[in-house]
Amino acid sequence: MQQRQNGISLVGLIVVLALAGMVLVLGLKIVPAYTEYRAIRNAIATAKAGGGSAAEIQRAFDAAASASYITAISGRDLMIDKVNGETEVSFAYEKKIPLVGPASLLLEYEGTTAKVVSNPPNKEPQ
C-alpha cells in the first residue's frame, strides 16, 4: 500500500518565504516612521506641560525633538491654539516611504494634546 505524503511542496515553501520576506521588509520601513510619530506625540505633550507662550512651546518642542532624533517636523510646524482658555498643540504631516521602483507608501500622521470628549447618546424626549 502506498501512503500519501503530507506537507508543503518546495514551490509552496518558496512562495510563503517570499511573502514573509516582503511583509518583513515593509514592516522594517514602517516601524521607524511610527516610532518617530510616537516620539512627536510625547514631545508635544512635554512642550505643552512646560506651559508658556507659543514661542516657548516651540522651543521646548525643538529641544525634545533634538533629544529624540525627530526630523519630520520642527517647532514652527506645530499648530498652537487656545481652546476654552487652555493651550492645545497639534500637528499633521506626511511621510513618503519608497518601496520598489515607482511604488511608494504615503503615511499621514496627525496628533493633538486636546482631550477627546465622547458625545453622550442623544436622548429623545418621551
Side-chain angles (χ1 to χ4, degrees):
M1 289 205 328
Q2 290 183 350
Q3 288 186 344
R4 181 177 157 101
Q5 291 183 353
N6 294 326
I8 188 167
S9 68
L10 181 60
V11 173
L13 180 63
I14 291 172
V15 169
V16 167
L17 289 177
L19 289 174
M22 289 189 321
V23 168
L24 180 67
V25 168
L26 187 62
L28 288 173
K29 291 184 176 211
I30 292 175
V31 166
Y34 182 74
T35 303
E36 184 177 39
Y37 164 72
R38 295 295 299 177
I40 291 170
R41 288 188 55 156
N42 291 337
I44 66 169
T46 302
K48 178 187 173 188
S53 67
E56 290 171 340
I57 291 173
Q58 288 174 336
R59 281 193 297 274
F61 176 82
D62 286 335
S66 66
S68 299
Y69 302 105
I70 296 171
T71 58
I73 64 172
S74 67
R76 67 176 179 263
D77 298 321
L78 298 177
M79 294 165 276
I80 303 169
D81 298 315
K82 288 273 190 187
V83 177
N84 296 331
E86 187 174 338
T87 303
E88 299 300 342
V89 182
S90 58
F91 66 92
Y93 69 98
E94 295 177 345
K95 184 82 168 186
K96 185 176 180 182
I97 300 173
L99 296 176
V100 177
S104 61
L105 180 65
L106 180 66
L107 302 172
E108 297 176 347
Y109 291 112
E110 62 183 37
T112 183
T113 58
K115 303 267 189 277
V116 177
V117 178
S118 62
N119 293 330
N122 293 333
K123 294 184 179 179
E124 295 181 19
Q126 296 186 11

